[in-house]
């Protein structure tokens, strides 16, 4: 489950940033390592919400900065949705 | 039967708009063999100039932004070595907003701008500073948090006075074609920071100097530019682009195809309706293009003491209801719009004025073009330059039909897709997932932010492709 989420998130980050999936590691910081700027940050957030059918709260937005953080956030939100 | 030419290109770019040219220059600079095919007889897209007798007019884009030291336009021009090759003047103030009760200006010195706003709205003293500070140094996550906000929501966060909100948002009707109640907070913020807080740059010989300089550089870098060259098809086989067809069927093979034309045309006409997925077809059908423009071009003879400062964009609005103005503009009601943007050229020989306008039939604009032109002239006479008529030696206008005809932008849209929150960051246009090596660049990829916006997208598209190429090179060398 987590692996699938990670794969999907890496695909989104790759699509938006233009970096190959192989270059994107769990600890890669989107802003520092992948040249993600404000518009790309919006694209990532919107794409994650659409892909997983979740809605990211304002206070959680800064957590979308590395693959690992994004996976943790999505897993938590999916878990909450189930309950 | 099409015969493939001997030498395949690494990349073919459809359209020599600023985004296509910037992208082409970066790719050519990296050593790729690049062709740019442009249907018009001159490069530039919306960034062109034309001559009528002794008058030279900017066709649509009439100044640009993002040219401060760390600005994106400056970066691209420096990277590509055209910085310094074109004489560029920054008007100061770049923009002045005038209503019956207030006048505010945007100066090179931000402090001067802040003080000017404070003098008019003393009660908003602190908010003015905070607002501009936010726009110039946004936290990287702030716009993600505001992804569903309108620009009105953002203005409401900072200001209590409705007048200051109107004065800040009035130019955005001309720069983005939407009132603050419909414009995304991100787009509105970028327009203010790129165009008003760092705008008003203009090549001395006219906007055509920018695409001309980029074209020259592109050719110096080994690129091939074909003008009056209409691409009729993008060839794709088994989910990968193979090249483009020009005219009646010459295939130009290429590893990458980059479309600098509008998304509808790229997918529905060039790629073909049957090649795209149902979902994308639906998206193309339901998405809203941005508003078009009606532009008046006036050649002047003689001077008037009422002329505004040359080079400064004057945004006049006779009222404070931007939703009403937008509603009137959508109907083609130039009079009801109640405003205009006007700019006197540096040499005071020409004046252009524009209002947002709807795409309507050729017949409609044939019947209404003259009326709309006279209405704008009358309004300028009444509100800005008394007896302007006496100074006019030559006059003509561009309607949304004219804009479409020269650039093939869908419905003559000025800024690609409308910059509403729901259309912000819509994915799938920049790099369609179902055709390998097809890219889109320019204002139809998601954000319509003028010259600096399309420069950014052109740069970004080139970087994405070059990163892929670099990966390949590393791989092939083990």
């Amino acid at each position: 489950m987590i692996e699938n989420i990670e794969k999907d998130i890496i695909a989104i980050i790759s699509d938006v940033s233009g970096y190959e999936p192989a270059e994107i590691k769990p600890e890669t910081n989107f802003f520092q390592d992948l040249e993600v700027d404000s518009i790309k940050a919006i694209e990532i957030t919107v794409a994650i919400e659409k892909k997983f059918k979740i809605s990211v709260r304002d206070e959680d937005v800064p957590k979308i900065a590395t693959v690992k953080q994004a996976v943790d956030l999505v897993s938590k939100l999916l878990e909450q949705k189930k309950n | 039967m099409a015969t493939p030419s001997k030498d395949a290109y690494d990349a073919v770019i459809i359209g020599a708009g600023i985004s296509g040219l910037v992208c082409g220059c970066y790719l050519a600079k990296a050593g790729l063999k690049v062709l740019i095919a442009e249907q018009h007889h001159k490069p530039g897209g919306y960034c062109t100039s034309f001559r009528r007798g002794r008058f030279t007019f900017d066709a649509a884009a009439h100044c640009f932004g993002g040219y401060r030291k760390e600005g994106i336009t400056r970066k691209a021009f420096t990277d590509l070595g055209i910085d310094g090759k074109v004489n560029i003047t920054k008007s100061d103030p770049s923009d002045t907003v005038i209503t019956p009760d207030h006048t505010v200006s945007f100066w090179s010195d931000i402090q001067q701008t802040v003080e000017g706003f404070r003098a008019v709205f003393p009660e908003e003293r602190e908010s003015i500073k905070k607002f501009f500070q936010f726009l110039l140094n946004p936290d990287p996550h702030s716009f993600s948090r505001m992804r569903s906000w309108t620009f009105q929501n953002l203005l409401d966060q900072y200001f209590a006075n409705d007048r200051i909100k109107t004065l800040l948002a009035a130019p955005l009707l001309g720069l983005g074609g939407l009132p603050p109640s419909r414009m995304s907070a991100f787009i509105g913020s970028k327009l203010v920071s790129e165009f008003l807080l760092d705008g008003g740059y203009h090549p001395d010989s006219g906007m055509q100097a920018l695409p001309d300089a980029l074209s020259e550089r592109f050719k110096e870098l080994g690129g091939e530019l074909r003008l009056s060259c209409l691409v009729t098809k993008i060839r794709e086989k088994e989910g990968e682009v193979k090249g483009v067809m020009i005219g009646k069927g010459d295939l130009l093979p290429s590893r990458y195809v980059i479309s600098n034309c509008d998304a509808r045309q790229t997918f529905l006409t060039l790629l073909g309706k049957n090649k795209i997925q149902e979902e994308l077809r639906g998206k193309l059908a339901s998405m809203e293009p941005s508003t078009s423009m009606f532009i008046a071009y006036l050649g002047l003879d003689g001077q008037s003491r009422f002329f505004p400062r040359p080079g400064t964009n004057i945004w006049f609005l006779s009222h404070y209801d931007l939703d009403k103005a937008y509603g009137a503009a959508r109907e083609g009601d130039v009079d009801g719009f109640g405003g205009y943007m006007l700019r006197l050229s540096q040499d005071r020989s020409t004046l252009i004025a524009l209002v947002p306008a709807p795409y309507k039939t050729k017949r409609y604009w044939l019947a209404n073009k003259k009326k709309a032109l006279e209405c704008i002239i009358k309004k300028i006479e009444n509100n800005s330059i008394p007896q302007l008529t006496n100074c006019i030696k030559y006059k003509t206008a561009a309607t949304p039909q004219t804009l479409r005809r020269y650039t093939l932008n869908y419905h003559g849209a000025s800024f690609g897709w409308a910059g509403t929150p729901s259309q912000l960051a819509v994915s799938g246009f920049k790099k369609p997932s179902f055709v390998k090596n097809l890219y889109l660049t320019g204002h139809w990829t998601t954000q319509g932010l003028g010259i600096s916006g399309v420069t950014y997208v052109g740069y970004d598209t080139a970087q994405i492709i070059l990163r892929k190429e670099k990966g390949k090179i590393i791989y092939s060398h083990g």
Side-chain angles (χ1 to χ4, degrees), chain B residues 216-275:
Chain B
E216 275 314 300
R217 187 65 188 133
F218 175 65
K219 287 187 261 184
E220 278 169 27
L221 291 164
E224 183 185 343
L225 172 66
R226 292 197 200 174
L227 299 171
S228 305
C229 176
L230 181 70
V231 170
T232 46
K233 272 283 172 235
I234 295 171
R235 282 291 288 274
E236 165 272 351
K237 206 175 164 192
E238 288 156 6
E240 186 171 347
V241 291
K242 293 292 168 197
V244 302
M245 310 282 276
I246 54 165
K248 284 189 181 138
D250 283 335
L251 173 68
L252 302 178
S254 181
R255 293 196 290 125
Y256 292 98
V257 171
I258 302 146
S259 172
N260 185 202
C261 38
D262 83 45
R264 295 178 60 95
Q265 200 189 330
T266 304
F267 293 117
L268 302 176
T269 312
L270 297 178
L271 205 54
K273 274 182 210 155
N274 54 343
K275 301 265 185 188

Side-chain angles (χ1 to χ4, degrees), chain B residues 450-470:
Chain B
I451 306 278
S452 55
V454 295
T455 298
Y456 165 80
V457 183
Y459 162 78
D460 193 50
T461 308
Q463 297 314 308
I464 290 173
I465 290 171
L466 292 175
R467 234 173 261 136
K468 270 180 81 171
E469 288 293 294
K470 193 175 139 211

Side-chain angles (χ1 to χ4, degrees), chain B residues 175-389:
Chain B
L175 295 171
L178 286 174
S181 62
R182 291 209 59 216
M183 180 178 279
S184 109
F186 173 76
I187 299 280
S189 302
K190 282 285 166 190
L191 291 175
V192 175
S193 61
E194 298 286 300
F195 281 80
L196 300 177
L197 300 179
D198 185 35
Y201 299 95
H202 187 265
D204 294 348
S205 59
M207 292 301 281
Q208 187 69 49
L210 296 185
D212 284 354
L214 285 165
S215 299
E216 275 314 300
R217 187 65 188 133
F218 175 65
K219 287 187 261 184
E220 278 169 27
L221 291 164
E224 183 185 343
L225 172 66
R226 292 197 200 174
L227 299 171
S228 305
C229 176
L230 181 70
V231 170
T232 46
K233 272 283 172 235
I234 295 171
R235 282 291 288 274
E236 165 272 351
K237 206 175 164 192
E238 288 156 6
E240 186 171 347
V241 291
K242 293 292 168 197
V244 302
M245 310 282 276
I246 54 165
K248 284 189 181 138
D250 283 335
L251 173 68
L252 302 178
S254 181
R255 293 196 290 125
Y256 292 98
V257 171
I258 302 146
S259 172
N260 185 202
C261 38
D262 83 45
R264 295 178 60 95
Q265 200 189 330
T266 304
F267 293 117
L268 302 176
T269 312
L270 297 178
L271 205 54
K273 274 182 210 155
N274 54 343
K275 301 265 185 188
I276 68 169
Q277 298 146 321
E278 189 60 41
E279 191 197 343
L280 179 60
R281 262 205 301 266
K283 200 153 88 175
L284 288 168
S286 64
M287 280 184 68
E288 179 194 356
S290 57
T291 320
S292 188
M293 295 269 179
F294 183 89
I295 309 172
Y297 309 99
L298 309 176
L300 306 173
D301 195 15
Q303 301 297 314
S304 158
R305 65 190 170 93
F306 299 107
F307 276 176
R309 191 189 291 254
T312 296
N313 301 317
I314 307 291
W315 303 91
F316 173 78
L317 198 65
S318 64
H319 57 91
Y320 298 91
D321 189 343
L322 295 173
D323 287 318
K324 188 186 107 183
Y326 175 70
R330 298 284 286 184
E331 294 302 314
D333 179 1
V334 175
D335 188 44
F337 179 70
Y340 46 78
M341 191 286 315
L342 71 84
R343 182 182 187 277
L344 179 69
S345 62
Q346 285 290 356
D347 65 2
R348 299 164 191 251
S349 70
T350 63
L351 194 145
I352 60 166
L354 57 87
V355 293
Y359 184 76
K360 293 204 178 202
T361 59
K362 276 184 198 164
R363 212 179 148 146
Y364 172 89
W365 281 115
L366 265 176
N368 289 280
K369 181 173 166 174
K370 198 162 175 260
K371 207 167 81 186
L373 177 59
E374 291 310 320
C375 180
I376 289 187
I377 292 172
K378 192 89 210 147
K379 279 198 164 310
I380 297 173
E381 253 184 353
N382 289 342
N383 300 294
S384 304
I385 311 172
Q387 289 137 33
L388 171 64
T389 310

Side-chain angles (χ1 to χ4, degrees), chain A residues 1-13 24-27 52 67-68 70-72 74-75:
Chain A
M1 167 88 176
I2 293 272
E3 288 74 37
N4 286 341
I5 296 176
E6 184 178 287
K7 217 177 127 199
D8 286 340
I9 286 181
I10 288 177
I12 289 171
I13 306 305
I24 306 169
K25 310 282 178 229
E27 305 297 336
F52 299 102
V67 174
K68 189 177 178 310
V71 170
D72 289 348
V74 170
S75 313

Side-chain angles (χ1 to χ4, degrees), chain B residues 10-250:
Chain B
D10 291 315
V12 170
I13 299 176
I14 310 167
I18 295 296
S19 208
L21 288 166
V22 166
C23 183
C25 283
Y26 274 105
L27 295 180
K29 193 170 173 233
L32 267 64
K33 188 177 170 192
V34 189
L35 167 75
I36 302 181
E38 165 61 45
Q39 54 94 22
H40 193 24
H41 60 75
K42 55 181 151 190
Y46 277 143
C47 183
T48 55
S49 309
F50 66 92
R51 279 184 78 115
R52 289 291 180 272
R54 63 187 165 94
F55 303 113
T56 300
F57 298 100
D58 293 325
H62 52 273
C63 61
F64 66 99
Y67 206 56
R68 60 177 163 259
K69 211 169 146 217
E70 67 281 17
I72 180 65
T73 322
R74 172 81 70 175
K75 178 188 161 41
F77 287 8
T78 308
D79 284 356
L80 300 174
I82 66 159
D83 204 19
K85 288 199 173 173
V86 184
N87 285 329
I88 290 166
T89 304
K90 182 177 181 0
S91 303
D92 203 16
S94 65
D95 296 81
T96 294
V97 186
I98 302 174
T99 65
D101 312 279
H102 313 288
T103 298
V104 287
S105 289
F106 291 88
W107 303 87
S108 294
D109 176 4
I110 180 92
Q111 200 50 40
Q112 193 177 354
T113 307
V114 169
E115 292 309 327
F117 270 89
R118 282 175 169 175
V120 181
F121 302 101
E123 72 282 13
E124 297 281 11
R125 205 182 152 72
E126 281 313 302
S127 309
I128 291 162
K129 195 173 162 196
K130 280 188 194 150
F131 182 64
F132 288 151
Q133 263 171 357
F134 163 72
L135 293 182
L136 290 173
N137 295 298
D139 156 282
H141 300 289
S142 42
F143 289 117
S144 294
R145 275 193 290 264
M146 294 177 197
R147 63 198 175 282
S148 56
W149 287 25
T150 62
F151 191 59
Q152 186 68 47
N153 295 147
L154 180 65
L155 290 170
D156 291 343
Q157 282 278 310
Y158 281 90
F159 304 107
N161 185 308
D162 284 335
R163 289 282 174 92
I164 191 171
K165 298 179 207 172
T166 306
L167 264 72
L168 282 165
L172 306 192
L173 263 177
L175 295 171
L178 286 174
S181 62
R182 291 209 59 216
M183 180 178 279
S184 109
F186 173 76
I187 299 280
S189 302
K190 282 285 166 190
L191 291 175
V192 175
S193 61
E194 298 286 300
F195 281 80
L196 300 177
L197 300 179
D198 185 35
Y201 299 95
H202 187 265
D204 294 348
S205 59
M207 292 301 281
Q208 187 69 49
L210 296 185
D212 284 354
L214 285 165
S215 299
E216 275 314 300
R217 187 65 188 133
F218 175 65
K219 287 187 261 184
E220 278 169 27
L221 291 164
E224 183 185 343
L225 172 66
R226 292 197 200 174
L227 299 171
S228 305
C229 176
L230 181 70
V231 170
T232 46
K233 272 283 172 235
I234 295 171
R235 282 291 288 274
E236 165 272 351
K237 206 175 164 192
E238 288 156 6
E240 186 171 347
V241 291
K242 293 292 168 197
V244 302
M245 310 282 276
I246 54 165
K248 284 189 181 138
D250 283 335

